Amino acid sequence: MFDKGLLTLTDIKKTMRGLVGLYILQAFLIVGQAVSLGLVITHLWSGKPLKEQFIYIIGFIISFAGREGLQWWSNRWLDDYARVEAKKLRKTLLEKVFILGPELVQKQGTGHMVTLTLDGISEVEDYIQLTLSKMISMMIVPIVVLAMAFYLDWVSGVILFFIYPLIVLFMIILGYAAKAKADKQFVSFQRLSNHFIDSLRGIDTLKYFGLSKRYANSIYKTSERFRKTTMSVLRVAIL
């Protein structure tokens, strides 16, 4: 799911404009790959000699290499951008924690704050990288492919024109279903992290009263519930 908070990041519009240009070029290279490969296969199937397909094979290789080069460039660009923004977010989070003090930690839970600061920011970094690349590519590549399909064969273009919305609708439904499950999972994860950190902090006291084994079983049951809910989210998300 797309979070509108991404639009508040520094230089996000400049980054998106650059990615749009890269993915437009990549879309035309994808079309070049498909056309070159299709011509080679159809010509060979019709009995034409392989040496006559040399120019199409070269075209396919150039398109493939160009596409991979642009993909590497865009990934590196997004890696650098996401890393810088993640550092800024982590700095802002730590500043707020120090300003608000123990009140915030007590309200959110020690385990939750530790997880949010360490793993949470790293996940935000991955989210920035993946969301921007996938969102922009899904907006541009299908349109270019559809336009080329209409140009080469209008019947195929019409079929794609009606199939594309169904694919998008299916992805939206799955996205909302996965988001609903993930929101429920977040509460369980927060409870588990707080439970675990509190257990570590009080392990000496638990041993003193002979309750360490009982508490270990409690942590095991909580983690098992978390594992099952995580798998239920993944079952929907990977469809």
Side-chain angles (χ1 to χ4, degrees), residues 23-214:
Y23 280 110
I24 288 176
L25 293 176
Q26 190 175 9
F28 281 105
L29 290 173
I30 290 173
V31 172
Q33 276 186 257
V35 172
S36 301
L37 183 61
L39 288 173
V40 170
I41 293 175
T42 53
H43 288 171
L44 291 176
W45 184 263
S46 61
K48 294 183 179 180
L50 179 61
K51 61 181 180 180
E52 294 183 5
Q53 316 309 317
F54 183 74
I55 186 172
Y56 301 120
I57 295 175
I58 294 298
F60 174 81
I61 294 174
I62 293 175
S63 298
F64 177 79
R67 178 189 175 187
E68 291 299 317
L70 289 176
Q71 187 66 43
W72 174 83
W73 189 7
S74 63
N75 287 340
R76 183 174 180 180
W77 188 1
L78 279 174
D79 283 342
D80 295 338
Y81 179 77
R83 183 168 55 254
V84 171
E85 293 302 316
K87 288 182 179 179
K88 293 179 181 178
L89 290 174
R90 183 177 284 110
K91 181 180 179 181
T92 303
L93 175 61
L94 292 176
E95 288 176 352
K96 287 190 175 182
V97 170
F98 283 118
I99 291 174
L100 297 177
E103 181 181 355
L104 176 63
V105 177
Q106 184 178 6
K107 180 180 179 181
Q108 298 293 331
T110 305
H112 174 62
M113 293 305 301
V114 171
T115 304
L116 181 63
T117 306
L118 298 178
D119 297 335
I121 299 298
S122 298
E123 291 178 2
V124 171
E125 181 178 345
D126 295 336
Y127 177 78
I128 293 173
Q129 179 185 356
L130 294 175
T131 301
L132 289 179
S133 62
K134 299 303 180 184
M135 180 187 68
I136 296 176
S137 64
M138 289 296 292
M139 291 173 58
I140 294 175
V141 174
I143 295 176
V144 175
V145 173
L146 181 62
M148 184 57 64
F150 270 109
Y151 176 75
L152 296 175
D153 182 15
W154 69 271
V155 176
S156 300
V158 170
I159 294 174
L160 289 177
F161 180 78
F162 286 103
I163 289 178
Y164 273 160
L166 296 178
I167 297 175
V168 173
L169 179 62
F170 183 68
M171 293 174 65
I172 291 174
I173 294 174
L174 287 178
Y176 276 111
K179 181 179 182 299
K181 285 183 171 291
D183 290 341
K184 295 179 181 179
Q185 175 72 347
F186 178 76
V187 177
S188 300
F189 180 69
Q190 183 177 358
R191 186 183 302 113
L192 176 63
S193 60
N194 291 335
H195 194 187
F196 183 70
I197 294 296
D198 291 340
S199 300
L200 290 179
R201 295 172 65 181
I203 191 68
D204 293 334
T205 305
L206 292 173
K207 285 184 177 180
Y208 181 78
F209 288 102
L211 299 175
S212 57
K213 291 185 178 180
R214 185 187 304 176

